[in-house]
Amino acid sequence: QKEVEQNSGPLSVPEGAIASLNCTYSDRVSQSFFWYRQYSGKSPELIMSIYSNGDKEDGRFTAQLNKASQYVSLLIRDSQPSDSATYLCAVNDGTASKLTFGTGTRLQVTL
Amino acid sequence: EAQVTQNPRYLITVTGKKLTVTCSQNMNHEYMSWYRQDPGLGLRQIYYSMNVEATDKGDVPEGYKVSRKEKRNFPLILESPSPNQTSLYFCASSLWLAGTTDTQYFGPGTRLTVL
């Protein structure tokens, strides 16, 4: 059973701080990695995708991938109250016809 | 606007009464998928389709049926709903690249309650 693990949280950070969200996966051949944000009762929306080792930056968001250690992380700089949501990590191993999702980390940005 | 639509958005029904949740996408995506989301269990795949007339089971297919007669539509059918199918359902679509799904775009969700 391929697994994607996330700390459920809540992760609480003050406004303006850096939020660090982590995800580990079990399948070594995984090739594509995604971070989705989901507000309560709403659908997941894509924040970042990453395919190669290293960092990928998009605005306040940075995804980091380390395939040797089988983890992927998401950094949110200058956290805002509007960033308060559940963040889902998703992994595709390239051979399966699906994304495997973690159960998500709930982020709370406090004033 | 590129989007995935689902109907209905909310549905309350009774045990055993057949229902269909529709899903449609306008992005010409080959791949479509249905998920259910339950507290503490995350998103679990029910069925997926790689193209017209090509469907396969996901992780939790029991009690569900799907069909893919047109590229844009992928309805989810519950022939005899039971209370354990009360959940939040999402349809998603993506390109089908080199035999695999990539970034998936989600519909707004259907909240189903089976009494």
Side-chain angles (χ1 to χ4, degrees), chain A residues 13-20 60 75-83 107-110:
Chain A
V13 299
E15 184 178 5
I18 296 175
S20 178
R60 296 187 295 113
L75 300 179
I76 305 175
R77 289 182 299 282
D78 188 25
S79 295
Q80 301 297 309
S82 58
D83 294 326
L107 173 67
Q108 293 178 336
V109 180
T110 58

Side-chain angles (χ1 to χ4, degrees), chain B residues 9-29:
Chain B
R9 296 288 314 280
Y10 303 91
L11 179 60
I12 301 175
T13 189
V14 296
T15 299
K17 185 176 182 181
K18 180 179 178 180
L19 66 92
T20 299
V21 183
T22 64
C23 173
S24 183
Q25 50 93 5
N26 63 1
M27 294 172 279
N28 201 36
H29 284 165

